[in-house]
Amino acid sequence: MTVLVSALRTLAVTAAAGLLAATGTLAAPAPPASAAPEPKAPREFVALSAVDPTIVQEMRYTTAHNFVGEPVDGYRQPLCILTRPAAEALHRAQVRLLARGYTLKVYDCYRPQRAVDHFVRWAEDLADERMREEFYPLVDKSRLFADGYIAEKSGHSRGSTVDLTVVRLPAAPTRAYVPGERLVECYAPQAERFPDNSVDMGTGYDCFDTRSHTDDPRIQGVQRANRQLLKGALGEQGFVNLPEEWWHFTFRPEPFPGTFFDFPVARRSVAGH
């Protein structure tokens, strides 16, 4: 008898639920939640290779050879993405440099906000100093925010800032970095630093040191001339150099001066642009 009563109650509850669903007073079960689609770039953004395929791309943050020591969040593919005006200005600079026997090489272009957040987390982890010997040998990691090397926002996320250098033609390939290999100070003589095919700029890329300041008085001779070659070629096309970093340039006027984007660095982000 107890079993029969229980079965009847179950049937009654099931029937009531069906009736409520039919009359709209009981919501049907929601479908399983799916991951939100990744944001795409506005149509004003393009892959640099679509504007100028001759510019060399060595996108450091897709690799472990950077100050963090691992691929950085948001860099899905080794691809330079920029606003179209910035990419077209780089193309004009490239045309003039090619005529002089040089090519531009980009290290970083658009940078998603999630990558900047990765930098912040890394800077707050004072125990992680695996890349210190190369990238910040003279800087206490606890000073990275105060000294301006790391910040919670980056102009790169607005899409018109690029980190780059100059390479003499013909451009020899840069060998791959081997994680765990011996590191050398980024301001050491060029022959001793990690072998980059760039002309000698006095320091390597992303060197957290005052010798990276574009007009540092210790940088003279050929090294200073090379920095001025890069600065002059880009300045003619509307790029403004950040004085603390010889490699850092922003195209002006910026199409998105107040927006920090977070779409990933991937071909799908600019597909069809």
Side-chain angles (χ1 to χ4, degrees), residues 128-192:
D128 183 356
E129 294 194 318
R130 65 189 116 160
M131 303 301 284
R132 177 173 185 168
E133 189 174 353
E134 178 175 355
F135 291 97
Y136 53 106
L138 298 180
V139 180
D140 190 299
K141 195 175 181 184
S142 66
R143 295 283 310 168
L144 292 179
F145 290 103
D147 291 349
Y149 292 113
I150 299 294
E152 294 182 350
K153 294 291 183 181
S154 169
H156 281 273
S157 302
R158 301 194 295 261
S160 296
T161 293
V162 58
D163 293 343
L164 73 174
T165 189
V166 173
V167 176
R168 183 176 288 279
L169 294 171
T174 297
R175 73 163 175 82
Y177 167 76
V178 180
E181 69 175 81
R182 177 179 174 270
L183 301 176
V184 178
E185 296 91 340
C186 52
Y187 49 75
Q190 186 181 37
E192 300 175 18

Short mmCIF file of all heavy atoms in Angstrom, two decimals, residues 128-192:
data_model
loop_
_atom_site.label_atom_id
_atom_site.label_comp_id
_atom_site.label_asym_id
_atom_site.label_seq_id
_atom_site.Cartn_x
_atom_site.Cartn_y
_atom_site.Cartn_z
N ASP A 128 59.31 34.94 -8.67
CA ASP A 128 59.57 34.49 -10.05
C ASP A 128 60.59 35.43 -10.70
O ASP A 128 60.23 36.50 -11.20
CB ASP A 128 58.27 34.47 -10.85
CG ASP A 128 58.48 33.95 -12.27
OD1 ASP A 128 59.63 33.69 -12.66
OD2 ASP A 128 57.47 33.83 -13.00
N GLU A 129 61.84 35.03 -10.69
CA GLU A 129 62.89 35.84 -11.29
C GLU A 129 63.70 35.03 -12.31
O GLU A 129 64.88 35.26 -12.51
CB GLU A 129 63.82 36.40 -10.21
CG GLU A 129 63.13 37.39 -9.30
CD GLU A 129 64.11 38.19 -8.46
OE1 GLU A 129 65.09 37.60 -7.96
OE2 GLU A 129 63.91 39.41 -8.33
N ARG A 130 63.03 34.11 -12.98
CA ARG A 130 63.75 33.19 -13.87
C ARG A 130 64.43 33.90 -15.03
O ARG A 130 65.42 33.43 -15.57
CB ARG A 130 62.80 32.11 -14.40
CG ARG A 130 61.69 32.62 -15.30
CD ARG A 130 60.66 31.55 -15.61
NE ARG A 130 59.37 31.91 -15.06
CZ ARG A 130 58.21 31.38 -15.49
NH1 ARG A 130 58.23 30.44 -16.42
NH2 ARG A 130 57.08 31.77 -14.97
N MET A 131 63.92 35.10 -15.46
CA MET A 131 64.50 35.80 -16.61
C MET A 131 65.25 37.07 -16.20
O MET A 131 65.62 37.88 -17.04
CB MET A 131 63.40 36.15 -17.61
CG MET A 131 62.61 34.96 -18.12
SD MET A 131 63.62 33.69 -18.94
CE MET A 131 63.92 34.49 -20.52
N ARG A 132 65.47 37.23 -14.90
CA ARG A 132 66.08 38.48 -14.43
C ARG A 132 67.46 38.72 -15.04
O ARG A 132 67.80 39.85 -15.41
CB ARG A 132 66.20 38.45 -12.90
CG ARG A 132 66.91 39.69 -12.36
CD ARG A 132 66.89 39.77 -10.86
NE ARG A 132 67.48 41.02 -10.40
CZ ARG A 132 67.41 41.47 -9.17
NH1 ARG A 132 66.77 40.79 -8.24
NH2 ARG A 132 67.97 42.63 -8.85
N GLU A 133 68.28 37.70 -15.14
CA GLU A 133 69.66 37.89 -15.58
C GLU A 133 69.76 38.56 -16.94
O GLU A 133 70.70 39.30 -17.21
CB GLU A 133 70.39 36.54 -15.61
CG GLU A 133 71.88 36.65 -15.84
CD GLU A 133 72.59 35.32 -15.70
OE1 GLU A 133 71.95 34.33 -15.30
OE2 GLU A 133 73.80 35.27 -16.02
N GLU A 134 68.76 38.32 -17.80
CA GLU A 134 68.80 38.96 -19.12
C GLU A 134 68.05 40.28 -19.16
O GLU A 134 68.57 41.28 -19.66
CB GLU A 134 68.21 38.05 -20.20
CG GLU A 134 68.20 38.71 -21.58
CD GLU A 134 67.74 37.79 -22.70
OE1 GLU A 134 67.50 36.58 -22.45
OE2 GLU A 134 67.61 38.28 -23.84
N PHE A 135 66.83 40.34 -18.63
CA PHE A 135 65.95 41.47 -18.90
C PHE A 135 65.95 42.58 -17.84
O PHE A 135 65.64 43.72 -18.16
CB PHE A 135 64.52 40.95 -19.11
CG PHE A 135 64.36 40.16 -20.38
CD1 PHE A 135 64.41 38.78 -20.36
CD2 PHE A 135 64.21 40.80 -21.59
CE1 PHE A 135 64.29 38.05 -21.54
CE2 PHE A 135 64.09 40.09 -22.77
CZ PHE A 135 64.13 38.71 -22.75
N TYR A 136 66.27 42.26 -16.59
CA TYR A 136 66.29 43.32 -15.56
C TYR A 136 67.35 43.01 -14.50
O TYR A 136 67.06 42.97 -13.31
CB TYR A 136 64.89 43.49 -14.93
CG TYR A 136 64.25 42.23 -14.37
CD1 TYR A 136 64.18 42.01 -13.00
CD2 TYR A 136 63.72 41.27 -15.22
CE1 TYR A 136 63.58 40.88 -12.49
CE2 TYR A 136 63.13 40.12 -14.72
CZ TYR A 136 63.07 39.93 -13.36
OH TYR A 136 62.47 38.79 -12.85
N PRO A 137 68.60 42.83 -14.91
CA PRO A 137 69.65 42.41 -13.97
C PRO A 137 69.94 43.42 -12.87
O PRO A 137 70.40 43.04 -11.80
CB PRO A 137 70.87 42.20 -14.87
CG PRO A 137 70.59 42.99 -16.10
CD PRO A 137 69.12 42.93 -16.30
N LEU A 138 69.69 44.72 -13.12
CA LEU A 138 70.03 45.74 -12.13
C LEU A 138 68.81 46.34 -11.44
O LEU A 138 68.94 47.27 -10.65
CB LEU A 138 70.84 46.86 -12.79
CG LEU A 138 72.19 46.45 -13.40
CD1 LEU A 138 72.88 47.67 -14.02
CD2 LEU A 138 73.08 45.80 -12.35
N VAL A 139 67.63 45.82 -11.72
CA VAL A 139 66.39 46.38 -11.17
C VAL A 139 65.80 45.40 -10.18
O VAL A 139 65.58 44.23 -10.50
CB VAL A 139 65.37 46.68 -12.29
CG1 VAL A 139 64.08 47.26 -11.69
CG2 VAL A 139 65.96 47.64 -13.31
N ASP A 140 65.53 45.86 -8.95
CA ASP A 140 64.85 45.04 -7.98
C ASP A 140 63.41 44.85 -8.45
O ASP A 140 62.73 45.82 -8.79
CB ASP A 140 64.86 45.72 -6.61
CG ASP A 140 64.37 44.79 -5.50
OD1 ASP A 140 63.20 44.36 -5.58
OD2 ASP A 140 65.15 44.51 -4.58
N LYS A 141 62.95 43.61 -8.50
CA LYS A 141 61.62 43.35 -9.05
C LYS A 141 60.52 44.10 -8.30
O LYS A 141 59.48 44.45 -8.89
CB LYS A 141 61.33 41.84 -9.06
CG LYS A 141 60.13 41.48 -9.93
CD LYS A 141 59.92 40.00 -10.05
CE LYS A 141 58.73 39.73 -10.95
NZ LYS A 141 58.39 38.29 -11.04
N SER A 142 60.73 44.37 -7.04
CA SER A 142 59.72 45.11 -6.27
C SER A 142 59.57 46.55 -6.75
O SER A 142 58.63 47.24 -6.37
CB SER A 142 60.10 45.10 -4.79
OG SER A 142 61.31 45.82 -4.57
N ARG A 143 60.49 47.03 -7.62
CA ARG A 143 60.47 48.40 -8.12
C ARG A 143 59.86 48.52 -9.52
O ARG A 143 59.81 49.62 -10.07
CB ARG A 143 61.91 48.95 -8.16
CG ARG A 143 62.59 49.08 -6.82
CD ARG A 143 62.11 50.29 -6.06
NE ARG A 143 62.16 51.50 -6.87
CZ ARG A 143 61.58 52.65 -6.51
NH1 ARG A 143 60.94 52.74 -5.37
NH2 ARG A 143 61.67 53.71 -7.29
N LEU A 144 59.40 47.42 -10.10
CA LEU A 144 58.97 47.46 -11.50
C LEU A 144 57.80 48.41 -11.73
O LEU A 144 57.74 49.09 -12.76
CB LEU A 144 58.61 46.05 -11.99
CG LEU A 144 59.79 45.07 -12.11
CD1 LEU A 144 59.29 43.71 -12.58
CD2 LEU A 144 60.84 45.61 -13.07
N PHE A 145 56.85 48.48 -10.80
CA PHE A 145 55.73 49.41 -10.94
C PHE A 145 56.20 50.85 -10.70
O PHE A 145 55.91 51.75 -11.50
CB PHE A 145 54.60 49.06 -9.98
CG PHE A 145 53.86 47.80 -10.32
CD1 PHE A 145 54.10 46.63 -9.62
CD2 PHE A 145 52.93 47.77 -11.35
CE1 PHE A 145 53.43 45.46 -9.92
CE2 PHE A 145 52.25 46.61 -11.67
CZ PHE A 145 52.50 45.44 -10.95
N ALA A 146 56.91 51.06 -9.62
CA ALA A 146 57.35 52.41 -9.26
C ALA A 146 58.25 53.01 -10.32
O ALA A 146 58.20 54.22 -10.59
CB ALA A 146 58.06 52.38 -7.91
N ASP A 147 59.09 52.19 -10.94
CA ASP A 147 60.02 52.69 -11.95
C ASP A 147 59.41 52.76 -13.35
O ASP A 147 60.10 53.15 -14.30
CB ASP A 147 61.28 51.82 -11.99
CG ASP A 147 62.12 51.98 -10.72
OD1 ASP A 147 61.83 52.90 -9.93
OD2 ASP A 147 63.05 51.17 -10.51
N GLY A 148 58.16 52.36 -13.48
CA GLY A 148 57.46 52.52 -14.75
C GLY A 148 57.66 51.43 -15.77
O GLY A 148 57.24 51.56 -16.92
N TYR A 149 58.26 50.31 -15.37
CA TYR A 149 58.48 49.23 -16.32
C TYR A 149 57.21 48.40 -16.54
O TYR A 149 57.03 47.82 -17.62
CB TYR A 149 59.61 48.32 -15.85
CG TYR A 149 60.96 48.99 -15.87
CD1 TYR A 149 61.65 49.27 -14.69
CD2 TYR A 149 61.55 49.36 -17.07
CE1 TYR A 149 62.89 49.89 -14.70
CE2 TYR A 149 62.80 49.98 -17.10
CZ TYR A 149 63.46 50.24 -15.91
OH TYR A 149 64.69 50.87 -15.94
N ILE A 150 56.35 48.32 -15.54
CA ILE A 150 55.09 47.58 -15.62
C ILE A 150 53.97 48.51 -15.17
O ILE A 150 54.11 49.26 -14.21
CB ILE A 150 55.12 46.32 -14.72
CG1 ILE A 150 56.24 45.37 -15.16
CG2 ILE A 150 53.78 45.60 -14.76
CD1 ILE A 150 56.06 44.75 -16.53
N ALA A 151 52.83 48.43 -15.89
CA ALA A 151 51.66 49.24 -15.53
C ALA A 151 50.40 48.42 -15.80
O ALA A 151 50.43 47.41 -16.51
CB ALA A 151 51.63 50.54 -16.34
N GLU A 152 49.29 48.86 -15.22
CA GLU A 152 48.03 48.12 -15.37
C GLU A 152 47.35 48.38 -16.69
O GLU A 152 46.39 47.68 -17.05
CB GLU A 152 47.09 48.46 -14.20
CG GLU A 152 47.63 47.98 -12.85
CD GLU A 152 46.68 48.27 -11.71
OE1 GLU A 152 45.70 49.01 -11.94
OE2 GLU A 152 46.91 47.74 -10.61
N LYS A 153 47.78 49.38 -17.42
CA LYS A 153 47.26 49.67 -18.76
C LYS A 153 48.44 49.90 -19.69
O LYS A 153 49.50 50.36 -19.27
CB LYS A 153 46.36 50.90 -18.76
CG LYS A 153 45.06 50.75 -17.97
CD LYS A 153 44.11 49.78 -18.65
CE LYS A 153 42.78 49.70 -17.90
NZ LYS A 153 41.85 48.73 -18.54
N SER A 154 48.24 49.58 -20.98
CA SER A 154 49.30 49.77 -21.96
C SER A 154 48.73 50.41 -23.22
O SER A 154 47.64 50.03 -23.68
CB SER A 154 49.94 48.43 -22.32
OG SER A 154 50.80 48.57 -23.45
N GLY A 155 49.49 51.34 -23.79
CA GLY A 155 49.08 51.94 -25.05
C GLY A 155 48.98 50.91 -26.16
O GLY A 155 48.23 51.10 -27.12
N HIS A 156 49.70 49.80 -26.03
CA HIS A 156 49.61 48.75 -27.05
C HIS A 156 48.17 48.24 -27.19
O HIS A 156 47.78 47.81 -28.29
CB HIS A 156 50.50 47.57 -26.66
CG HIS A 156 51.95 47.77 -26.94
ND1 HIS A 156 52.53 47.48 -28.15
CD2 HIS A 156 52.95 48.22 -26.15
CE1 HIS A 156 53.83 47.74 -28.11
NE2 HIS A 156 54.12 48.19 -26.89
N SER A 157 47.40 48.25 -26.11
CA SER A 157 46.04 47.72 -26.16
C SER A 157 45.10 48.62 -26.95
O SER A 157 43.96 48.21 -27.25
CB SER A 157 45.50 47.53 -24.73
OG SER A 157 46.34 46.66 -24.00
N ARG A 158 45.54 49.81 -27.32
CA ARG A 158 44.72 50.69 -28.16
C ARG A 158 44.95 50.44 -29.65
O ARG A 158 44.23 50.96 -30.49
CB ARG A 158 45.02 52.15 -27.82
CG ARG A 158 44.74 52.51 -26.36
CD ARG A 158 44.71 54.01 -26.13
NE ARG A 158 46.01 54.63 -26.38
CZ ARG A 158 46.90 54.95 -25.43
NH1 ARG A 158 46.63 54.66 -24.17
NH2 ARG A 158 48.03 55.55 -25.73
N GLY A 159 45.99 49.67 -29.96
CA GLY A 159 46.15 49.18 -31.32
C GLY A 159 47.05 49.97 -32.25
O GLY A 159 47.25 49.55 -33.39
N SER A 160 47.62 51.09 -31.80
CA SER A 160 48.45 51.91 -32.69
C SER A 160 49.89 52.04 -32.19
O SER A 160 50.63 52.88 -32.69
CB SER A 160 47.83 53.30 -32.86
OG SER A 160 46.57 53.20 -33.51
N THR A 161 50.26 51.21 -31.23
CA THR A 161 51.62 51.23 -30.68
C THR A 161 52.34 49.95 -31.10
O THR A 161 51.75 48.86 -31.11
CB THR A 161 51.59 51.35 -29.15
OG1 THR A 161 51.07 52.64 -28.81
CG2 THR A 161 52.98 51.20 -28.55
N VAL A 162 53.61 50.09 -31.43
CA VAL A 162 54.38 48.96 -31.93
C VAL A 162 55.79 49.00 -31.35
O VAL A 162 56.35 50.07 -31.14
CB VAL A 162 54.43 48.98 -33.48
CG1 VAL A 162 55.03 50.27 -34.01
CG2 VAL A 162 55.14 47.77 -34.05
N ASP A 163 56.33 47.82 -31.03
CA ASP A 163 57.72 47.67 -30.61
C ASP A 163 58.48 47.07 -31.79
O ASP A 163 58.09 46.01 -32.31
CB ASP A 163 57.84 46.72 -29.41
CG ASP A 163 57.21 47.29 -28.15
OD1 ASP A 163 56.98 48.51 -28.09
OD2 ASP A 163 56.96 46.49 -27.22
N LEU A 164 59.59 47.72 -32.19
CA LEU A 164 60.26 47.26 -33.41
C LEU A 164 61.70 47.70 -33.47
O LEU A 164 62.16 48.49 -32.64
CB LEU A 164 59.50 47.73 -34.64
CG LEU A 164 59.54 49.20 -35.06
CD1 LEU A 164 58.83 49.38 -36.40
CD2 LEU A 164 58.94 50.14 -34.04
N THR A 165 62.40 47.20 -34.46
CA THR A 165 63.80 47.50 -34.66
C THR A 165 64.09 47.53 -36.15
O THR A 165 63.17 47.44 -36.98
CB THR A 165 64.68 46.45 -33.93
OG1 THR A 165 66.04 46.86 -33.97
CG2 THR A 165 64.55 45.07 -34.55
N VAL A 166 65.38 47.62 -36.48
CA VAL A 166 65.83 47.66 -37.88
C VAL A 166 66.81 46.51 -38.10
O VAL A 166 67.67 46.24 -37.25
CB VAL A 166 66.51 49.00 -38.21
CG1 VAL A 166 67.13 48.98 -39.60
CG2 VAL A 166 65.51 50.15 -38.10
N VAL A 167 66.69 45.84 -39.23
CA VAL A 167 67.57 44.73 -39.60
C VAL A 167 68.20 45.06 -40.95
O VAL A 167 67.52 45.50 -41.87
CB VAL A 167 66.77 43.42 -39.70
CG1 VAL A 167 67.67 42.28 -40.17
CG2 VAL A 167 66.13 43.07 -38.35
N ARG A 168 69.51 44.84 -41.05
CA ARG A 168 70.17 45.05 -42.33
C ARG A 168 69.90 43.86 -43.25
O ARG A 168 69.94 42.71 -42.82
CB ARG A 168 71.68 45.24 -42.14
CG ARG A 168 72.41 45.54 -43.45
CD ARG A 168 73.89 45.80 -43.22
NE ARG A 168 74.12 47.09 -42.57
CZ ARG A 168 74.13 48.26 -43.22
NH1 ARG A 168 73.89 48.29 -44.53
NH2 ARG A 168 74.37 49.37 -42.57
N LEU A 169 69.62 44.16 -44.51
CA LEU A 169 69.38 43.11 -45.50
C LEU A 169 70.69 42.56 -46.07
O LEU A 169 71.66 43.31 -46.19
CB LEU A 169 68.50 43.68 -46.62
CG LEU A 169 67.07 44.06 -46.20
CD1 LEU A 169 66.37 44.81 -47.32
CD2 LEU A 169 66.28 42.82 -45.80
N PRO A 170 70.73 41.29 -46.43
CA PRO A 170 69.66 40.29 -46.27
C PRO A 170 69.51 39.88 -44.80
O PRO A 170 70.51 39.77 -44.08
CB PRO A 170 70.14 39.12 -47.13
CG PRO A 170 71.63 39.24 -47.12
CD PRO A 170 71.93 40.72 -47.09
N ALA A 171 68.28 39.69 -44.36
CA ALA A 171 68.00 39.42 -42.95
C ALA A 171 68.29 37.96 -42.62
O ALA A 171 67.64 37.06 -43.16
CB ALA A 171 66.55 39.74 -42.64
N ALA A 172 69.29 37.74 -41.77
CA ALA A 172 69.57 36.39 -41.31
C ALA A 172 68.51 35.98 -40.29
O ALA A 172 68.01 36.82 -39.53
CB ALA A 172 70.96 36.33 -40.68
N PRO A 173 68.12 34.71 -40.24
CA PRO A 173 67.12 34.30 -39.25
C PRO A 173 67.68 34.37 -37.83
O PRO A 173 68.89 34.22 -37.61
CB PRO A 173 66.81 32.85 -39.65
CG PRO A 173 68.04 32.38 -40.36
CD PRO A 173 68.59 33.60 -41.07
N THR A 174 66.81 34.63 -36.88
CA THR A 174 67.19 34.59 -35.46
C THR A 174 66.93 33.19 -34.95
O THR A 174 65.85 32.64 -35.14
CB THR A 174 66.36 35.60 -34.65
OG1 THR A 174 66.64 36.92 -35.11
CG2 THR A 174 66.69 35.51 -33.17
N ARG A 175 67.91 32.59 -34.29
CA ARG A 175 67.73 31.22 -33.81
C ARG A 175 66.68 31.18 -32.70
O ARG A 175 66.40 32.17 -32.03
CB ARG A 175 69.05 30.65 -33.30
CG ARG A 175 69.53 31.21 -31.97
CD ARG A 175 70.60 30.30 -31.38
NE ARG A 175 71.20 30.81 -30.16
CZ ARG A 175 70.65 30.69 -28.96
NH1 ARG A 175 69.48 30.11 -28.81
NH2 ARG A 175 71.28 31.18 -27.89
N ALA A 176 66.10 30.03 -32.52
CA ALA A 176 65.09 29.86 -31.49
C ALA A 176 65.73 29.90 -30.10
O ALA A 176 66.85 29.42 -29.91
CB ALA A 176 64.36 28.54 -31.69
N TYR A 177 65.00 30.47 -29.16
CA TYR A 177 65.42 30.47 -27.76
C TYR A 177 65.15 29.10 -27.16
O TYR A 177 64.09 28.49 -27.41
CB TYR A 177 64.66 31.55 -27.00
CG TYR A 177 64.78 31.46 -25.50
CD1 TYR A 177 65.93 31.87 -24.84
CD2 TYR A 177 63.71 30.98 -24.73
CE1 TYR A 177 66.04 31.79 -23.47
CE2 TYR A 177 63.81 30.90 -23.35
CZ TYR A 177 64.97 31.30 -22.72
OH TYR A 177 65.07 31.22 -21.36
N VAL A 178 66.08 28.61 -26.36
CA VAL A 178 65.92 27.33 -25.69
C VAL A 178 65.68 27.59 -24.20
O VAL A 178 66.58 28.08 -23.51
CB VAL A 178 67.17 26.45 -25.87
CG1 VAL A 178 66.97 25.11 -25.14
CG2 VAL A 178 67.46 26.22 -27.34
N PRO A 179 64.46 27.34 -23.71
CA PRO A 179 64.20 27.59 -22.27
C PRO A 179 65.23 26.92 -21.39
O PRO A 179 65.58 25.75 -21.58
CB PRO A 179 62.80 26.99 -22.07
CG PRO A 179 62.16 27.10 -23.42
CD PRO A 179 63.27 26.84 -24.40
N GLY A 180 65.75 27.70 -20.44
CA GLY A 180 66.76 27.19 -19.54
C GLY A 180 68.18 27.46 -19.98
O GLY A 180 69.12 27.20 -19.21
N GLU A 181 68.35 28.00 -21.18
CA GLU A 181 69.71 28.29 -21.63
C GLU A 181 70.30 29.45 -20.83
O GLU A 181 69.58 30.23 -20.21
CB GLU A 181 69.74 28.63 -23.13
CG GLU A 181 69.10 29.96 -23.51
CD GLU A 181 69.27 30.28 -24.99
OE1 GLU A 181 68.51 29.75 -25.81
OE2 GLU A 181 70.20 31.05 -25.30
N ARG A 182 71.61 29.57 -20.84
CA ARG A 182 72.29 30.62 -20.09
C ARG A 182 71.84 31.99 -20.60
O ARG A 182 71.81 32.24 -21.80
CB ARG A 182 73.80 30.48 -20.22
CG ARG A 182 74.58 31.58 -19.51
CD ARG A 182 76.09 31.38 -19.64
NE ARG A 182 76.81 32.52 -19.09
CZ ARG A 182 77.17 33.58 -19.80
NH1 ARG A 182 76.88 33.65 -21.10
NH2 ARG A 182 77.83 34.58 -19.24
N LEU A 183 71.51 32.87 -19.67
CA LEU A 183 71.05 34.21 -20.02
C LEU A 183 72.20 35.20 -19.88
O LEU A 183 73.05 35.07 -19.00
CB LEU A 183 69.90 34.64 -19.10
CG LEU A 183 68.66 33.73 -19.13
CD1 LEU A 183 67.64 34.21 -18.10
CD2 LEU A 183 68.04 33.70 -20.52
N VAL A 184 72.20 36.22 -20.74
CA VAL A 184 73.23 37.25 -20.74
C VAL A 184 72.55 38.61 -20.61
O VAL A 184 71.49 38.84 -21.20
CB VAL A 184 74.08 37.20 -22.03
CG1 VAL A 184 75.12 38.31 -22.05
CG2 VAL A 184 74.76 35.84 -22.16
N GLU A 185 73.15 39.52 -19.86
CA GLU A 185 72.56 40.84 -19.64
C GLU A 185 72.18 41.51 -20.96
O GLU A 185 72.94 41.48 -21.92
CB GLU A 185 73.53 41.75 -18.88
CG GLU A 185 73.86 41.27 -17.49
CD GLU A 185 75.10 40.37 -17.47
OE1 GLU A 185 75.44 39.81 -18.54
OE2 GLU A 185 75.70 40.22 -16.39
N CYS A 186 71.01 42.14 -20.98
CA CYS A 186 70.49 42.75 -22.20
C CYS A 186 71.31 43.95 -22.66
O CYS A 186 71.16 44.40 -23.80
CB CYS A 186 69.04 43.15 -22.01
SG CYS A 186 68.73 44.18 -20.55
N TYR A 187 72.17 44.47 -21.80
CA TYR A 187 73.01 45.61 -22.19
C TYR A 187 74.46 45.18 -22.47
O TYR A 187 75.33 46.02 -22.67
CB TYR A 187 73.00 46.69 -21.10
CG TYR A 187 73.26 46.17 -19.72
CD1 TYR A 187 74.53 45.78 -19.31
CD2 TYR A 187 72.21 46.05 -18.81
CE1 TYR A 187 74.77 45.27 -18.05
CE2 TYR A 187 72.44 45.55 -17.53
CZ TYR A 187 73.71 45.16 -17.17
OH TYR A 187 73.94 44.65 -15.90
N ALA A 188 74.72 43.89 -22.48
CA ALA A 188 76.07 43.40 -22.79
C ALA A 188 76.41 43.72 -24.24
O ALA A 188 75.52 44.05 -25.05
CB ALA A 188 76.13 41.89 -22.55
N PRO A 189 77.67 43.66 -24.63
CA PRO A 189 78.03 43.86 -26.04
C PRO A 189 77.21 42.95 -26.94
O PRO A 189 76.88 41.82 -26.57
CB PRO A 189 79.52 43.52 -26.07
CG PRO A 189 79.99 43.82 -24.68
CD PRO A 189 78.85 43.44 -23.79
N GLN A 190 76.89 43.43 -28.13
CA GLN A 190 75.99 42.69 -29.01
C GLN A 190 76.45 41.26 -29.26
O GLN A 190 75.64 40.33 -29.31
CB GLN A 190 75.83 43.42 -30.35
CG GLN A 190 74.80 42.77 -31.27
CD GLN A 190 74.67 43.49 -32.60
OE1 GLN A 190 75.65 43.97 -33.14
NE2 GLN A 190 73.46 43.57 -33.12
N ALA A 191 77.76 41.05 -29.41
CA ALA A 191 78.27 39.72 -29.70
C ALA A 191 78.03 38.75 -28.54
O ALA A 191 78.09 37.53 -28.74
CB ALA A 191 79.76 39.79 -30.02
N GLU A 192 77.77 39.27 -27.35
CA GLU A 192 77.56 38.41 -26.18
C GLU A 192 76.09 38.21 -25.85
O GLU A 192 75.74 37.24 -25.16
CB GLU A 192 78.28 39.02 -24.97
CG GLU A 192 79.78 39.17 -25.16
CD GLU A 192 80.44 39.89 -24.00
OE1 GLU A 192 79.82 39.96 -22.91
OE2 GLU A 192 81.57 40.38 -24.16
#
